[in-house]
Amino acid sequence: MIKTELTTIEGRNPVFEAVAANLPIEKIYISNKAYGSQISKIIAAAKEKGVPFKAVPPDKIDELAKTEANQGIVAVCAEVSYVTVADILNRAKEKQEPPFVIIADEITDPHNLGAIIRTANCTGAHGVIIPKNRSAGVNPVVFKTSAGAAAHTPVARVGNLTQAMNELKENGLWITGADMAGEQEMCDADLTGPIALVVGSEGRGITKKIRAGCDFFVRIPMAGEINSLNASVAAAVLMYEALRQRRLK
């Protein structure tokens, strides 16, 4: 495991998932004006796991929070774990499934990255790979947007994305790029085997160097006047197509 700092996790579902996933939480702060079944559920889980929690005035929550959607609760963490590419591949091996990996190429918007991690978890991807440079990291906004999925989905943050892709290839994965000019529509491509799906940023798409390392490209069929999707939406469509094919196999 590779450690990195993460200041806060905010919002009721993200905090609950962080407790459930045994993330290293130093303390949970709960507004004394916050009520409801989810708050009770978090308190019960914190007691069970031995995680300290404290009721505080709403102003204290606002002081600690880094987003505006804290829902009256903030968990302060010492660190969160990034994994290695090998860890992601081992996860697929343990599940006895063909590896399914998502590569986020220079996704700088933390909301997009959080949404991609959330969908990766929902579709059974074994992990997400991001570059250290020119990319959002797993920060409080990413954690919040992922609805807690970042606590369960392994994320590898690598210094050289090309080297990571080569490591995947050496382990039998095909590198599949998402591109509106791809040679195959997603429904015609075989996404059932060991694959890594590369998603580029909005505007730029997949960078030139990473494109050169892709084995083939797939496109999403379009029927309207607009011929492009938000990066996280495009990633979601392709991930669910991969899940559909894998379930039919």
Side-chain angles (χ1 to χ4, degrees):
M1 295 287 189
I2 302 166
K3 304 295 185 181
T4 187
E5 292 184 358
L6 178 66
T7 308
T8 61
I9 296 171
E10 303 167 20
R12 299 184 183 193
N13 196 57
V15 170
F16 176 77
E17 294 297 343
V19 174
N22 297 311
L23 289 192
I25 298 172
E26 291 187 345
K27 185 174 283 189
I28 299 172
Y29 295 88
I30 306 170
S31 168
N32 53 24
K33 303 292 185 182
Y35 303 98
S37 59
Q38 188 74 343
I39 292 293
S40 299
K41 190 177 175 182
I42 292 167
I43 291 172
K47 287 179 178 178
E48 181 184 346
K49 301 275 188 175
V51 178
F53 62 91
K54 183 179 181 181
V56 296
D59 289 350
K60 178 64 174 179
I61 299 296
D62 293 336
E63 178 186 325
L64 290 168
K66 292 179 172 56
T67 73
E68 296 179 359
N70 57 71
Q71 298 177 308
I73 186 164
V74 173
V76 176
C77 292
E79 57 189 13
V80 69
S81 297
Y82 285 122
V83 303
T84 65
V85 173
D87 290 328
I88 293 175
L89 294 173
N90 285 336
R91 189 171 190 235
K93 187 176 181 180
E94 288 167 2
K95 291 189 171 188
Q96 297 183 324
E97 297 171 346
F100 179 28
V101 181
I102 310 304
I103 298 174
D105 180 24
E106 296 192 5
I107 303 291
T108 56
D109 183 341
H111 296 92
N112 271 337
L113 181 58
I116 288 169
I117 293 172
R118 181 176 184 172
T119 307
N121 181 271
C122 290
T123 56
H126 299 105
V128 177
I129 300 174
I130 62 174
K132 283 184 179 178
N133 300 318
R134 296 182 295 279
S135 173
V138 181
N139 59 32
V141 176
V142 169
F143 209 103
K144 170 67 178 174
T145 308
S146 78
H152 301 285
T153 303
V155 178
R157 197 179 192 192
V158 300
N160 189 313
L161 206 51
T162 300
Q163 286 182 5
M165 290 166 64
N166 288 337
E167 183 177 348
L168 294 175
K169 289 183 179 184
E170 289 168 2
N171 283 274
L173 277 74
W174 291 86
I175 311 296
T176 309
D179 193 294
M180 295 312 299
E183 59 262 30
Q184 289 181 292
E185 285 195 354
M186 62 181 192
C187 299
D188 298 325
D190 183 358
L191 304 177
T192 61
I195 62 166
L197 175 64
V198 184
V199 181
S201 63
E202 291 186 60
R204 286 188 65 183
I206 300 173
T207 55
K208 185 176 180 180
K209 191 172 183 180
I210 301 306
R211 286 183 65 88
C214 292
D215 295 306
F216 63 96
F217 295 90
V218 295
R219 67 182 186 274
I220 299 170
M222 297 285 175
E225 287 74 28
I226 305 299
N227 65 353
S228 65
L229 293 170
N230 168 281
S232 61
V233 174
V237 171
L238 290 165
M239 281 188 259
Y240 269 100
E241 172 59 20
L243 175 62
R244 183 190 71 82
Q245 290 188 21
R246 286 164 179 256
R247 285 195 167 180
L248 289 175
K249 187 173 180 181

